[in-house]
Amino acid sequence: MSMKLLNRMKIELKTYGPILTGRKVAIQIRNQIINEAQVILDFEGVQSISKIFAEELLGQLAKLKGREVYLNQVQILNVSDENRKMLIYVIKENS
């Protein structure tokens, strides 16, 4: 589910399932947010993400926008420590 909040798009990733894998869904989400000035990605209810999913969603987004722009535009909420490590890794690898 996505919604606009004070000029920010919020994506509740649990609507895509508790385990996020594969490129297709990640690309779909990335395409929704790529042109947004501010994005909130809410991982509440997400148990696990695959490296491929993280690379397609956040790694490619960081690569396209540049690390500094990405870090200023994307806010990540409610992510587990394990999933946070994966996200940090793919962002660093791709920016």
Side-chain angles (χ1 to χ4, degrees):
M1 177 178 165
S2 64
M3 64 182 100
K4 291 275 190 171
L5 297 171
L6 302 173
N7 296 323
R8 292 183 179 184
M9 176 178 264
K10 181 177 182 181
I11 305 285
E12 294 177 350
L13 293 165
K14 67 182 175 187
T15 61
Y16 298 95
I19 300 172
L20 303 175
T21 62
R23 297 180 192 278
K24 186 177 179 179
V25 172
I27 291 168
Q28 177 186 359
I29 297 166
R30 188 179 73 223
N31 288 340
Q32 285 183 53
I33 65 175
I34 196 158
N35 293 318
E36 295 293 327
Q38 296 289 314
V39 176
I40 299 169
L41 297 174
D42 189 347
F43 282 83
E44 182 178 3
V46 174
Q47 298 168 8
S48 179
I49 57 172
S50 72
K51 182 179 178 192
I52 290 172
F53 178 89
E55 285 176 343
E56 282 298 332
L57 177 58
L58 298 177
Q60 290 301 312
L61 195 62
K63 183 184 258 185
L64 292 168
K65 289 185 172 272
R67 187 172 185 201
E68 292 304 315
V69 172
Y70 167 83
L71 292 173
N72 288 319
Q73 290 182 342
V74 178
Q75 181 180 5
I76 296 173
L77 300 177
N78 302 313
V79 65
S80 70
D81 289 340
E82 184 177 326
N83 288 335
R84 183 178 305 280
K85 288 176 189 175
M86 171 71 71
L87 299 177
I88 291 169
Y89 172 79
V90 299
I91 291 164
K92 285 182 180 178
E93 284 289 308
N94 288 282
S95 61

